Amino acid sequence: MESLVKFVQDEFVAKKDFPEFGAGDTITVYYEIREGEKVRTQFFRGVVIQRRGSGSTETFTIRKMSGTIGVERIFPINLPALQKIEVNKRGKVRRARIFYFRDLTGKKARIKESRH
């Protein structure tokens, strides 16, 4: 049964090629917003906290600071409104899910840049 589900996902879900990114990377996500008849592009730039799931159900969480308030947003990787993803910085972290990043403030909230 699982192989049938995987086959259907691979065949019918449109794959977009996004760059490789993971936890600790700073990325910019461009996505469409529909307001009535009008469609506009908005971007969300922040640090990737986690990637979870696999196949068509994969999602990733991005966190950014808006003033002094932390804002997190979860994007499905197969969201039709997603236009493109840009990797701005590659971060060097030792965890796949960096939830501890939520509690850090000031200079401690910096992530070292990796050299690859």
Side-chain angles (χ1 to χ4, degrees), residues 35-53:
E35 295 173 335
E37 299 296 311
K38 201 167 73 171
V39 177
R40 64 184 177 86
T41 301
Q42 187 169 327
F43 68 90
F44 193 91
R45 182 177 182 187
V47 177
V48 178
I49 296 248
Q50 71 170 343
R51 279 184 81 157
R52 73 181 316 164

Side-chain angles (χ1 to χ4, degrees), residues 1 9 17 23 31 41 48 51 64 73-74 80 82 87 94 96 104 108 112:
M1 188 66 181
Q9 286 177 353
D17 0 323
Y31 57 99
T41 301
V48 178
R51 279 184 81 157
K64 75 171 184 179
R73 176 128 192 210
I74 300 172
L82 273 187
V87 178
R94 296 183 182 185
L104 302 181
K108 290 181 180 171
K112 280 188 180 174

Side-chain angles (χ1 to χ4, degrees), residues 44-49 61-65 69-73 101-104:
F44 193 91
R45 182 177 182 187
V47 177
V48 178
I49 296 248
T61 305
I62 302 180
R63 179 180 178 85
K64 75 171 184 179
M65 294 301 290
I69 310 283
V71 179
E72 288 187 12
R73 176 128 192 210
F101 192 65
R102 293 172 176 158
D103 301 325
L104 302 181

Side-chain angles (χ1 to χ4, degrees), residues 73-90:
R73 176 128 192 210
I74 300 172
F75 289 98
I77 206 92
N78 286 328
L79 185 69
L82 273 187
Q83 291 178 337
K84 68 177 177 175
I85 297 175
E86 288 178 355
V87 178
N88 304 108
K89 281 197 296 191
R90 298 251 180 222

